[in-house]
Amino acid sequence: MSALEALEPIFRFIPEVKSPVHREDFNEKLKWTAVVLVLYYFLCLIPLFGVSPGSVDNFAQLRAVMAGSFGSILTLGIGPIVTASIVLQLLVGSNLLELDLSSHKDKSHFQATQKVLSIVFTIFEAAVLVLTGNIQPLDGSYTGLLILQLVIGALTIIYLDEVVSKWGFGSGIGLFIAAGVCQQIVVGTFSILNGTDGLFAGIIPKFIQQATSGVYDFSILIPLIATVIVFLVVLYGESMRVEIPISHGSVRGHGRIRGSVGKYPLKFVYSSNMPVILTSALLVNVTLFANIFQKIGFPILGHIDAGKPVDGIAWLLSTPKLHMFISEPIHVLIYAIFFILCCMLFSYLWVEISGLNAKKISEQLYNSGIQIPGFRSSKRQLYKILKKYIPALTIISGIYVGLIAFLADLTGALGGGTGVLLTVGIIHKLYEEMAEEQLMSSNPLLRKFLGDD
């Protein structure tokens, strides 16, 4: 019996969202996605009861990536879910957990274990944030109440994510990240509320306000310009494909394939943006654990002052700013190397665990009757061809998204450079999924042909 099978008694006590009995149409999926999105925005407006007004968001730079709203019951955001995913990916990738995720049973155990771990990390992170002073209660009597509110908010996110995954489009994690980043971009660009300097908070109103006074400070526009550049670069990367010639038909003649000829596209950003999400969550946890160790008198990860790292590993792995290229070049260099290497690692693990590696894809194509033109009908030949491309794309895409996220964060892009990177990829993928679903809904014969009933 495997380690995960031993947890089956626990799985039975964990509530789950039931999958739809019948295949949903486009409008039904769109309705559930919209309902969850509205509910997410509503929950972001519910403040924590008993929190001190002096509490400061020490994870503001990564807040968009964690899809949380500081000071609300959704302060933890998707942090516990992503942390659980990191732990499981490392365990499976190192073969400490031997799972075949193409097997329905193992996949079910993996998902159930991730939910259990998400709940465990929800309680852990809520307690850490409150007990280490990142979220300060009005007085000691509110400590337990604050932890309870954070747990309730994070558990709600876990199940809303499950609703979207089973009943809507895409995933809840992606939807919440995109929602939070889009909100920050709109507010940061157009807000007419007063900022800390007495001027409008929004970039465009502030620039116009100063221009009418004869002051033309174009540096104000840098975050907005950076956001547009990141948007265009990421969109270009999402549209890039590596196309492999394929054919579909019966075997004739000397065992070679003859039939319809086409191309099998491999996305340049092959591992999607998941490596950046996982790396950002890892960085958040470094600061959390630095807080814990300092609290118990062993600051092995560095010291935390006013909720922010001031030295040690935690400081080196804190998000740098553009001016630090001159004042703290070592900090910037170490952070960049760590961030990109982690993106490469998580890119590899994500591709292996999600069944996107060369072996799994070659099996799927072979079982569908697809072969490479000019070669014998062979699963091994398909694997040999795909192995030339997929491992390289996996590493390159990890480097690509890591480098863009790092550079975009330095510029102070609206919504965070990493947030913009993730949002473009999420919206692009969501658009593709919705377009495919709409095509299926309007063409029942096509859906029947593809076996999607």
Side-chain angles (χ1 to χ4, degrees):
M1 183 171 66
S2 69
L4 297 190
E5 287 178 338
L7 296 175
E8 284 186 353
I10 298 176
F11 297 159
R12 297 191 189 101
F13 289 98
I14 303 297
E16 68 172 333
V17 176
K18 291 185 177 181
S19 300
V21 179
H22 302 290
R23 185 184 180 280
E24 295 179 289
D25 60 19
F26 178 86
N27 290 332
E28 189 73 10
K29 286 189 172 185
L30 186 62
K31 180 189 75 175
W32 280 108
T33 305
V35 167
V36 171
L37 181 60
V38 171
L39 186 56
Y40 169 78
Y41 277 128
F42 174 75
L43 291 171
C44 286
L45 298 176
I46 301 178
L48 289 170
F49 178 73
V51 66
S52 170
S55 296
V56 179
D57 187 3
N58 299 313
F59 302 101
Q61 291 177 313
L62 295 171
R63 181 60 57 192
V65 181
M66 293 297 99
S69 176
F70 183 76
S72 76
I73 64 171
L74 298 190
T75 295
L76 292 180
I78 62 172
I81 303 176
V82 179
T83 303
S85 178
I86 291 174
V87 172
L88 278 182
Q89 286 199 40
L90 292 176
L91 289 175
V92 174
S94 61
N95 292 323
L96 292 176
L97 280 179
E98 295 185 2
L99 293 177
D100 178 11
L101 295 181
S102 61
S103 161
H104 176 75
K105 183 179 181 181
D106 280 1
K107 186 175 182 180
S108 177
H109 283 161
F110 181 89
Q111 292 172 341
T113 304
Q114 180 169 321
K115 184 184 291 185
V116 171
L117 278 178
S118 297
I119 295 172
V120 171
F121 280 116
T122 292
I123 299 171
F124 172 75
E125 291 184 11
V128 168
L129 284 179
V130 176
L131 296 178
T132 58
N134 282 279
I135 295 179
Q136 299 174 4
L138 287 173
D139 58 60
S141 63
Y142 289 97
T143 300
L145 182 59
L146 280 178
I147 294 175
L148 178 62
Q149 292 175 82
L150 290 172
V151 169
I152 292 174
L155 290 179
T156 304
I157 284 290
I158 290 172
Y159 284 98
L160 287 180
D161 170 55
E162 196 172 352
V163 170
V164 175
S165 299
K166 293 183 177 180
W167 291 83
F169 288 108
S171 71
I173 290 177
L175 183 67
F176 302 145
I177 290 175
V181 173
C182 288
Q183 182 183 32
Q184 287 190 26
I185 291 175
V186 171
V187 172
T189 302
F190 301 107
S191 176
I192 56 174
L193 297 176
N194 286 332
T196 56
D197 55 2
L199 301 173
F200 289 133
I203 287 177
I204 291 179
K206 180 187 289 187
F207 182 79
I208 295 174
Q209 184 181 19
Q210 288 190 327
T212 55
S213 303
V215 179
Y216 295 92
D217 185 5
F218 290 97
S219 63
I220 295 175
L221 301 175
I222 290 178
L224 181 59
I225 295 171
T227 302
V228 174
I229 292 174
V230 172
F231 179 88
L232 295 175
V233 170
V234 176
L235 194 60
Y236 179 75
E238 287 286 341
S239 65
M240 291 174 64
R241 299 287 188 274
V242 175
E243 296 181 331
I244 301 175
I246 58 171
S247 60
H248 190 285
S250 57
V251 179
R252 298 176 183 173
H254 298 286
R256 295 182 183 276
I257 285 290
R258 291 183 182 180
S260 57
V261 179
K263 293 181 179 180
Y264 182 74
L266 295 173
K267 292 179 63 176
F268 173 71
V269 187
Y270 190 71
S271 57
S272 72
N273 295 319
M274 187 55 70
V276 174
I277 297 176
L278 296 172
T279 301
S280 298
L282 180 62
L283 294 175
V284 169
N285 281 287
V286 169
T287 303
L288 279 178
F289 277 98
N291 262 310
I292 294 173
F293 289 131
Q294 179 170 293
K295 198 76 174 179
I296 61 178
F298 297 98
I300 56 176
L301 294 178
H303 292 86
I304 308 295
D305 183 24
K308 295 183 179 181
V310 292
D311 58 24
I313 295 175
W315 172 73
L316 288 173
L317 299 183
S318 61
T319 307
K321 291 294 185 181
L322 190 60
H323 66 84
M324 292 184 182
F325 263 119
I326 298 175
S327 60
E328 301 172 12
I330 301 298
H331 178 186
V332 176
L333 180 62
I334 291 177
Y335 178 88
I337 293 173
F338 180 85
F339 194 94
I340 294 172
L341 286 178
C342 282
C343 285
M344 290 171 57
L345 172 63
F346 286 126
S347 180
Y348 170 78
L349 292 175
W350 178 255
V351 168
E352 290 295 317
I353 291 174
S354 58
L356 296 174
N357 56 29
K359 183 180 179 181
K360 296 294 183 182
I361 297 297
S362 62
E363 289 176 356
Q364 293 173 14
L365 293 179
Y366 180 78
N367 293 334
S368 301
I370 292 175
Q371 297 292 324
I372 305 297
F375 293 94
R376 292 182 179 275
S377 176
S378 167
K379 186 191 301 183
R380 182 179 179 182
Q381 187 61 47
L382 263 174
Y383 172 70
K384 186 177 179 181
I385 297 296
L386 290 175
K387 195 175 180 182
K388 293 181 180 179
Y389 296 96
I390 290 181
L393 282 175
T394 299
I395 299 302
I396 291 173
S397 65
I399 296 173
Y400 174 77
V401 295
L403 184 61
I404 290 180
F406 163 69
L407 293 176
D409 280 338
L410 285 178
T411 63
L414 293 173
T418 300
V420 177
L421 165 69
L422 296 176
T423 300
V424 176
I426 290 166
I427 293 177
H428 187 270
K429 186 176 181 180
L430 189 62
Y431 168 78
E432 289 181 334
E433 185 176 336
M434 293 176 71
E436 181 181 346
E437 181 62 34
Q438 194 169 33
L439 181 63
M440 292 287 190
S441 298
S442 60
N443 294 273
L445 291 177
L446 178 61
R447 184 171 67 244
K448 186 175 181 181
F449 173 74
L450 293 175
D452 200 32
D453 282 317

